[in-house]
Amino acid sequence: MNHKVLLLLGLAMCYTLSGMAQADGKFSEGLVKYTVLSANDMTVSATWAENAPEDVVVIPATVEHNGQTYSVTSVDLSNDIPVYQLVVSEGITAIEGVKKEEYPYLKRLELPGSLREIPYGKFRNFTGLEEVSLGEGMESLDNNCFMGCRLRRLSIPASIRKIGASLCYIGRMEEINVHPDNPYYYSQNNTLIDKEHQSVVLGNRDLFIPDNVTSIGSGAYMMFDKTDYLREKEAPRDLIIPNNITWVNIGSFTIDSIGTLRIPNTTMLDLGWIDFGAVKEIVIEDGDTPFYYTPLMASEGCFRFYDVNAKTDIETIYIGRNKQGSGNMFGTSNNLTVHKLVIGPKVTVFVDNMHTIKAIYSLSENPEQVTIGFNSNFYNRRILSQYLCRDAALRSCRHQGTLYGC
């Protein structure tokens, strides 16, 4: 075999070995690891390659490797290696992978406008994430996209036109910035507001509710993960729903402990949930506007309270408006104890599924005409301790269809 043939074979072998190495589809440059998506199109996905606690890891839009230029089209999040600051460059158009387990490392994240949107729950388990900056050109944030994150700072560009519900927890939120040219959203006292619907999208950790809004979006005031029973509890705070609010959406408030929850007499609250732990008193002010408490998705809407602790004690509940609909106000009430239920002067019928009520008071001028009822389908119910009235015994107290002399 002559030398020319040997040379050709050697070159062919080198090319084959090089091709095999490239066919492996993975290579690293600096702090970034790449996976070839298409050798023909010269596209790769990228993720961080190593623990770099002192460095900002920048995912570039293009990368040079072995004399060839690849376009980075996506970033893969399914990586357990710690990264603390991540910048995704303009030109990258997709985010792939999800975190199945809690990821506490990433603190700061910059995302380009070329992504256009952040899909549902994409950064849901990045529990250490504190600061997020979104690039101009991004248009949509889907529901729960930062759920579980304890954000402190969030920057929203002028191009954002849609923000989904339950964006993140606000227990640590310090700053929400919206570009002044955004036609759809604005920030007021670090509260994110939908301009068209005058609705709170993301609330203030001080429970500030602007007086120029009329509704509160789903998950707008979520202070914490209610399944985290080992978290450090915050001190009780008062929650006063202002008169301008006519709609409170699902899961709007999740608060450890409430001193007083007050719902004004001018407000009809539909389809709203409040998750709470310990609470001192709940006051539904006297008024002519009905208080709806129908089951979820019923035509009238509903307003329900959910206890987030294993055991919840309420000192006083004052119901000053007639309740309309069916179902019960307290959705998770197996361990709920109400020490005193006060029925306002305009309430003539009270039906609910509260678990334990120690005393009931009626402020009606004719308490004998007030009917107290508890639905017979409520399971594991405890016996009520006593019925009390302002002036006389409550003679028409009905319990599961049975007349009781109270």
Side-chain angles (χ1 to χ4, degrees):
M1 186 177 293
N2 60 39
H3 292 290
K4 183 179 290 187
V5 173
L6 288 173
L7 178 60
L8 290 173
L9 286 173
L11 290 173
M13 183 174 292
C14 290
Y15 180 81
T16 301
L17 290 173
S18 175
M20 289 175 61
Q22 190 61 55
D24 177 62
K26 297 182 184 296
F27 61 89
S28 295
E29 293 289 344
L31 299 174
V32 183
K33 179 171 60 179
Y34 301 90
T35 299
V36 176
L37 300 176
S38 172
N40 292 331
D41 296 333
M42 304 294 290
T43 57
V44 294
S45 69
T47 189
W48 49 99
E50 58 184 270
N51 185 357
E54 302 300 327
D55 295 320
V56 177
V57 176
V58 178
I59 307 293
T62 61
V63 58
E64 297 283 341
H65 181 68
N66 286 345
Q68 296 178 310
T69 301
Y70 293 87
S71 296
V72 181
T73 59
S74 64
V75 177
D76 184 7
L77 298 182
S78 55
N79 187 342
D80 293 330
I81 298 173
V83 63
Y84 298 88
Q85 301 183 70
L86 184 65
V87 176
V88 180
S89 297
E90 186 67 36
I92 296 174
T93 57
I95 300 177
E96 307 293 344
V98 294
K99 283 292 179 190
K100 296 182 179 179
E101 303 295 337
E102 182 176 305
Y103 188 84
Y105 308 107
L106 184 63
K107 304 299 182 184
R108 186 172 71 88
L109 176 65
E110 292 185 25
L111 297 174
S114 55
L115 286 175
R116 299 302 184 199
E117 68 172 355
I118 301 180
Y120 176 90
K122 182 56 67 175
F123 292 92
R124 183 164 188 156
N125 292 316
F126 285 72
T127 55
L129 190 55
E130 296 182 349
E131 182 176 348
V132 172
S133 179
L134 308 175
E136 186 63 40
M138 187 173 291
E139 298 179 351
S140 175
L141 306 178
D142 206 346
N143 296 347
N144 301 334
C145 63
F146 295 108
M147 174 62 79
C149 300
R150 278 75 169 176
L151 294 187
R152 294 183 184 271
R153 287 170 289 279
L154 176 63
S155 297
I156 296 175
S159 55
I160 288 287
R161 61 177 61 202
K162 179 182 177 183
I163 299 178
S166 304
L167 198 65
C168 67
Y169 298 133
I170 65 165
R172 299 180 183 176
M173 185 66 76
E174 298 172 357
E175 186 177 348
I176 300 176
N177 288 317
V178 181
H179 195 284
D181 293 335
N182 189 301
Y184 304 100
Y185 298 94
Y186 67 98
S187 176
Q188 179 180 342
N189 287 34
N190 290 325
T191 300
L192 180 61
I193 300 171
D194 181 325
K195 288 185 179 180
E196 179 182 359
H197 301 99
Q198 283 302 293
S199 177
V200 175
V201 179
L202 198 62
N204 185 298
R205 67 180 181 179
D206 295 326
L207 302 184
F208 167 78
I209 301 176
D211 57 11
N212 57 319
V213 300
T214 59
S215 63
I216 297 174
S218 178
Y221 290 87
M222 290 192 304
M223 306 297 293
F224 57 86
D225 181 354
K226 62 186 178 183
T227 65
D228 180 10
Y229 298 109
L230 299 179
R231 68 182 178 275
E232 182 179 350
K233 305 295 192 299
E234 292 190 357
R237 60 180 72 195
D238 292 341
L239 173 57
I240 312 299
I241 306 295
N243 292 337
N244 48 289
I245 297 298
T246 60
W247 179 274
V248 176
N249 218 318
I250 299 173
S252 300
F253 296 91
T254 303
I255 303 170
D256 258 327
S257 184
I258 299 174
T260 297
L261 169 61
R262 182 175 294 273
I263 299 173
N265 57 21
T266 57
T267 302
M268 181 176 68
L269 299 170
D270 287 342
L271 197 58
W273 291 353
I274 288 183
D275 296 295
F276 60 88
V279 59
K280 182 177 180 181
E281 65 175 353
I282 297 174
V283 178
I284 302 171
E285 294 179 348
D286 295 338
D288 297 323
T289 303
F291 188 79
Y292 288 101
Y293 69 117
T294 52
L296 178 62
M297 301 307 293
S299 59
E300 298 96 334
C302 72
F303 191 81
R304 305 180 78 182
F305 304 97
Y306 280 70
D307 55 314
V308 297
N309 293 336
K311 187 176 186 299
T312 299
D313 287 317
I314 301 177
E315 290 186 14
T316 303
I317 298 179
Y318 180 88
I319 307 291
R321 286 189 267 159
N322 274 315
K323 297 179 9 167
Q324 296 189 5
S326 61
N328 58 297
M329 281 202 319
F330 290 84
T332 306
S333 51
N334 291 352
N335 293 291
L336 171 67
T337 297
V338 177
H339 293 271
K340 182 169 67 173
L341 171 63
V342 181
I343 300 174
K346 294 188 176 183
V347 179
T348 58
V349 178
F350 182 90
V351 179
D352 213 315
N353 283 338
M354 296 183 187
H355 196 250
T356 300
I357 302 177
K358 291 189 174 182
I360 300 178
Y361 296 81
S362 173
L363 301 184
S364 170
E365 294 295 334
N366 301 295
E368 68 277 1
Q369 297 178 6
V370 178
T371 299
I372 303 293
F374 294 91
N375 293 343
S376 59
N377 60 355
F378 187 59
Y379 61 92
N380 197 25
R381 175 185 39 77
R382 299 175 187 172
I383 303 301
L384 283 83
S385 300
Q386 56 184 324
Y387 294 96
L388 301 173
C389 298
R390 185 182 63 179
D391 297 322
L394 191 58
R395 298 184 178 88
S396 59
C397 169
R398 295 186 180 275
H399 180 229
Q400 293 192 8
T402 304
L403 186 64
Y404 282 75
C406 301

